[in-house]
Amino acid sequence: MKKLFALLLIPVLSFAQEMKTITATNEMVNIKVDGKLKKKAWKITPDVSPDVYATNAKTVTFYTDKDEITVNPVEGKPYDFYIDLNGKKALTRVQYEPTYIETLQRGATYNLQDKREFPAFSYTPSSDANLQKLRKEFNLDSIAGKGDEVSQIKNLMRWVHNTIRHDGSSDNPAVKNAQGIIGVCKAEGRGVNCRMMATVLNECYLAMGFKSRYITCMPKELKFDDCHVINMVYSKQLNKWLWMDPTFEAFVMDEKKNLLSVEEVRERLITGKPLKLNKEANWNHKSKRTKEDYLDGYMAKNLYRIQTPAISTYDTETDHSHPHLDYVELVPLEGLNQQHVSEMTYDSGDKRVFYVTNNPELFWAKP
């Protein structure tokens, strides 16, 4: 039995010895990706094993100062090789990673027969005392203007964008309603993250009588470093939900410049139908956003899963303001989390209940 075991090991050892090795004396590597050269795009790191280079390119060539290797990435078949840096070998792996749109396309299928129950969506009326106070304090009627409904919706979104600076790394203020968020930003001369900006806009919409929700747009992964929060607001004039993003002063249109909903944008990204971004879209008035970087390169990643509070109301984010809140998440059938109900109690004592649905008709229901 011992001799047989030794014989079985021989092919494995032989395979390991045949792994390609290229040499280098400089730790920086140039990489050509589908014909486009990127200088000093990779740092050789022997201490990381394997050091993974993820790409959706068809052809990748690594150029050290002494050698080169070309790899044609194949999904599900990572390619490993060594880079010998002055006698230290770095195990390097080229791994195919689907594009954000490819991942979204794989999550295209929902289930209209999913009848699992979750709390009905509701919207606090503008007669609420807190919303009336907000409307008066910031003179929202003047900000919205006297134009038609759609122009008022856009004006309120632009006002939030111009009033609050976006800073994705900032700490949230203790009081997370419109007055508290705007007050902290002015007093401390700082910005807030996209969730806080969408919270402000949502409360402004509710104060002005618009049905709206803020929605958390998330990637497929259950653990992630980045997501984005925007607003969906219902237009009676157009009889549909509209995409509004105060962080980037952005809304989305079709080829005929018709305003689109979040649901429509997601579907068009999947099917490749035309999408247009408003020309004013920007980040903090410092850099423009384009359809390619905002939709194809960012929101395609973050439209895989979508979550929203069941009740759209005032001050949902401040600790102890709402001891119990329900959230509903729309997940495609391919999604990693299909658990219908889960609960979480935070250090503050606030309880949150999360519901999952595969049914977009229920999730995007008109108010």
Side-chain angles (χ1 to χ4, degrees):
M1 290 298 291
K2 290 183 178 180
K3 289 183 179 181
L4 177 60
F5 182 72
L7 288 172
L8 289 172
L9 277 178
I10 289 174
V12 178
L13 293 173
S14 174
F15 175 79
Q17 291 169 351
E18 292 176 359
M19 189 181 296
K20 178 74 173 179
T21 299
I22 61 175
T23 60
T25 60
N26 189 303
E27 65 181 7
M28 299 309 298
V29 178
N30 297 334
I31 300 180
K32 184 180 287 185
V33 181
D34 285 342
K36 185 176 180 180
L37 184 65
K38 299 180 179 180
K39 293 185 177 181
K40 297 182 178 180
W42 183 258
K43 183 179 180 180
I44 304 170
T45 312
D47 294 338
V48 179
S49 183
D51 200 1
V52 179
Y53 179 82
T55 182
N56 52 55
K58 294 180 179 179
T59 303
V60 178
T61 302
F62 287 67
Y63 296 96
T64 72
D65 61 336
K66 294 292 184 181
D67 214 340
E68 67 180 73
I69 186 172
T70 297
V71 179
N72 298 311
V74 177
E75 187 169 2
K77 296 181 179 180
Y79 183 88
D80 292 350
F81 64 96
Y82 287 110
I83 303 178
D84 188 322
L85 176 63
N86 299 318
K88 291 185 177 181
K89 283 192 173 182
L91 177 58
T92 307
R93 174 172 295 170
V94 178
Q95 182 170 296
Y96 183 86
E97 185 175 274
T99 65
Y100 295 141
I101 289 182
E102 285 175 339
T103 299
L104 193 62
Q105 288 171 335
R106 296 172 188 181
T109 305
Y110 289 117
N111 178 18
L112 297 179
Q113 302 307 312
D114 183 2
K115 304 302 182 183
R116 290 177 296 177
E117 294 183 355
F118 56 81
F121 293 118
S122 63
Y123 308 86
T124 298
S126 59
S127 57
D128 175 81
N130 288 314
L131 294 178
Q132 286 186 334
K133 182 179 178 181
L134 171 64
R135 183 172 183 167
K136 182 178 180 180
E137 182 173 342
F138 291 108
N139 197 14
L140 295 183
D141 289 270
S142 177
I143 290 166
K146 298 182 179 180
D148 64 15
E149 183 188 61
V150 172
S151 72
Q152 292 181 17
I153 288 171
K154 290 179 180 178
N155 287 342
L156 289 165
M157 183 270 287
R158 290 189 173 113
W159 176 76
V160 173
H161 176 80
N162 292 329
T163 301
I164 305 172
R165 176 169 58 86
H166 174 250
D167 180 358
S169 62
S170 67
D171 294 330
N172 288 335
V175 179
K176 305 178 187 70
N177 54 42
Q179 290 98 324
I181 295 168
I182 293 174
V184 164
C185 289
K186 289 184 176 180
E188 299 180 7
R190 68 163 172 112
V192 289
N193 62 33
C194 59
R195 190 177 188 87
M196 296 297 97
M197 297 186 73
T199 295
V200 173
L201 181 56
N202 191 63
E203 293 180 1
C204 289
Y205 280 147
L206 292 174
M208 289 298 296
F210 295 111
K211 302 292 193 299
S212 69
R213 302 188 227 157
Y214 65 82
I215 59 173
T216 303
C217 306
M218 298 177 287
K220 179 179 180 178
E221 296 77 20
L222 301 183
K223 294 183 179 180
F224 49 85
D225 295 325
D226 173 81
C227 65
H228 192 48
V229 186
I230 63 175
N231 297 83
M232 52 183 283
V233 56
Y234 192 78
S235 167
K236 294 180 182 178
Q237 179 182 334
L238 300 179
N239 192 31
K240 63 185 295 186
W241 292 108
L242 302 180
W243 170 307
M244 290 288 149
D245 183 351
T247 296
F248 296 110
E249 193 182 347
F251 51 85
V252 188
M253 301 165 284
D254 65 13
E255 65 274 21
K256 297 181 180 179
K257 296 187 177 181
N258 296 310
L259 292 173
L260 298 176
S261 67
V262 178
E263 181 182 23
E264 289 173 316
V265 173
R266 188 182 192 275
E267 186 271 335
R268 282 175 171 262
L269 281 170
I270 289 171
T271 59
K273 293 180 181 179
L275 288 167
K276 292 183 178 295
L277 190 66
N278 59 308
K279 63 181 180 180
E280 304 89 357
N282 72 90
W283 179 75
N284 287 338
H285 296 288
K286 293 182 179 179
S287 58
K288 300 288 289 184
R289 300 294 93 170
T290 66
K291 182 262 183 184
E292 289 71 25
D293 62 46
Y294 177 66
L295 294 175
D296 300 344
Y298 184 57
M299 290 309 299
K301 170 179 75 71
N302 289 323
L303 286 173
Y304 190 90
R305 298 181 293 130
I306 302 170
Q307 185 188 88
T308 187
I311 178 173
S312 183
T313 189
Y314 180 81
D315 203 18
T316 57
E317 293 292 309
T318 302
D319 290 347
H320 309 299
S321 179
H322 293 270
H324 180 108
L325 281 176
D326 298 318
Y327 289 81
V328 184
E329 182 176 326
L330 177 62
V331 178
L333 287 177
E334 193 211 35
L336 299 174
N337 176 31
Q338 298 292 341
Q339 182 177 349
H340 178 44
V341 184
S342 59
E343 298 182 2
M344 182 176 293
T345 300
Y346 294 91
D347 293 340
S348 63
D350 292 341
K351 182 179 179 180
R352 302 293 181 254
V353 180
F354 301 91
Y355 295 83
V356 164
T357 181
N358 301 133
N359 192 332
E361 289 186 351
L362 298 180
F363 187 85
W364 302 116
K366 295 180 180 180

